[in-house]
Amino acid sequence: VSSTGCSVKSIADGIVRQPCGTIINVCEPRLILNLPDRSVVLKPPGWEVHDQFTQRQLLCWRQCFEARSSNILHDHHSQYGFIHRLDVPNSGLILAAKSYRAYLHMQWQLATGKITRDYAILVHGWLAPSLHEVETRVFWRGDDSTKVGGSGKASSTVLRARIHALLQMGAFTLADVRIRTGRRHQIRSHLSHVGHPVVRDGMYTTLTTFNDDFDICAHNCLHRYTLVFEDAAGIIREATASLPPGQFFAWRSSP
């Protein structure tokens, strides 16, 4: 970051900070892997997969730029071909089908644990290197936050601390995460449960912390960077979208 507070770039040149601190989101989805019957798309932060609660819809992007004639892209009973989701504030790779056969094949892989999903996260505090897994039950009601405990669904999140950082704003950890289950808000609720909420998470931190986090990053610091799955021929495919420099630690400089 220059001394004049010039632009800081995020995924695909997505977040640009002006000297006044204004954020302009010019990020668009990108097709990372394009196979005849399935694809992997990079979802930027601020985009919703398909529920129509926000203006930027990944479904609309796919309908415009990918497999326009595919019936599954217009079938809400089959999730429009999407195999899984990412929360609106998060970024990363999304696996999607272009046919019903591919959709059922990948849903089977998801249910049997054959799809690998790896994430990079930035959390508050120094995550202990000895903490390798969070295994709890989680539950939620409606649009409320996901809660840990009770008689909810079993969930497992594997962790590995990569970098510990001590900044003027506090202590932080950059960590790798792999999920063994895919519950709603699983990573965010698990990390909050162990006292290390994800940076810039308005649902699992206080409002004060959420606002203070803006000096570190403009959006929720959770990015899915790897997907591993089988294609129609049974060949293992790996798609990656590495975390670019400055993606999380993109704090503003003083004018």
Side-chain angles (χ1 to χ4, degrees):
V1 182
S2 72
S3 60
T4 58
C6 292
S7 65
V8 175
K9 297 184 179 181
S10 181
I11 292 179
D13 296 333
I15 300 296
V16 179
R17 294 186 184 273
Q18 302 298 325
C20 63
T22 302
I23 300 173
I24 302 174
N25 192 336
V26 295
C27 199
E28 294 288 335
R30 280 195 292 137
L31 194 59
I32 301 299
L33 180 62
N34 191 19
L35 301 175
D37 66 343
R38 63 200 74 189
S39 63
V40 177
V41 178
L42 177 61
K43 184 190 91 67
W47 284 69
E48 188 175 28
V49 175
H50 67 65
D51 281 337
Q52 305 294 324
F53 291 116
T54 66
Q55 183 177 0
R56 295 183 178 93
Q57 293 290 312
L58 196 62
L59 171 61
C60 295
W61 184 89
R62 288 192 69 214
Q63 289 173 339
C64 288
F65 296 103
E66 180 197 356
R68 301 181 186 182
S69 61
S70 176
N71 291 331
I72 199 170
L73 264 73
H74 304 276
D75 184 359
H76 72 277
H77 295 293
S78 298
Q79 304 297 314
Y80 305 100
F82 289 107
I83 306 306
H84 47 208
R85 305 190 188 201
L86 278 169
D87 299 330
V88 174
N90 306 146
S91 61
L93 300 173
I94 298 285
L95 185 58
K98 302 177 188 178
S99 70
Y100 289 102
R101 181 184 294 272
Y103 178 76
L104 293 175
H105 181 216
M106 291 190 291
Q107 283 290 348
W108 172 79
Q109 292 182 57
L110 188 66
T112 56
K114 294 183 179 297
I115 295 178
T116 299
R117 293 162 285 179
D118 290 336
Y119 303 75
I121 60 172
L122 182 67
V123 299
H124 284 276
W126 282 5
L127 193 66
S130 58
L131 180 59
H132 299 299
E133 185 176 6
V134 179
E135 191 171 10
T136 68
R137 291 188 173 274
V138 296
F139 66 95
W140 59 91
R141 295 184 178 88
D143 295 330
D144 290 344
S145 61
T146 297
K147 306 292 193 304
V148 171
S151 57
K153 295 182 178 181
S155 58
S156 173
T157 301
V158 179
L159 308 166
R160 181 170 68 93
R162 289 177 53 194
I163 299 174
H164 290 134
L166 184 60
L167 308 177
Q168 184 178 1
M169 296 80 75
F172 301 90
T173 302
L174 182 65
D176 285 328
V177 169
R178 176 172 293 182
I179 56 174
R180 290 177 173 163
T181 53
R183 310 304 183 195
R184 177 181 177 271
H185 297 181
Q186 176 176 316
I187 296 173
R188 297 162 65 191
S189 61
H190 273 185
L191 270 297
S192 178
H193 174 66
V194 297
H196 297 282
V198 176
V199 170
R200 193 67 176 165
D201 192 336
M203 183 168 284
Y204 294 95
T205 60
T206 65
L207 180 60
T208 299
T209 299
F210 175 72
N211 290 333
D212 289 344
D213 284 349
F214 181 78
D215 287 331
I216 303 170
C217 189
H219 55 80
N220 188 266
C221 292
L222 188 154
H223 174 72
R224 181 191 286 154
Y225 65 86
T226 298
L227 281 175
V228 182
F229 61 96
E230 289 184 5
D231 66 12
I235 298 171
I236 301 298
R237 300 279 187 163
E238 179 175 2
T240 60
S242 299
L243 188 68
Q247 167 70 8
F248 287 169
F249 289 107
W251 56 83
R252 294 172 295 165
S253 62
S254 300

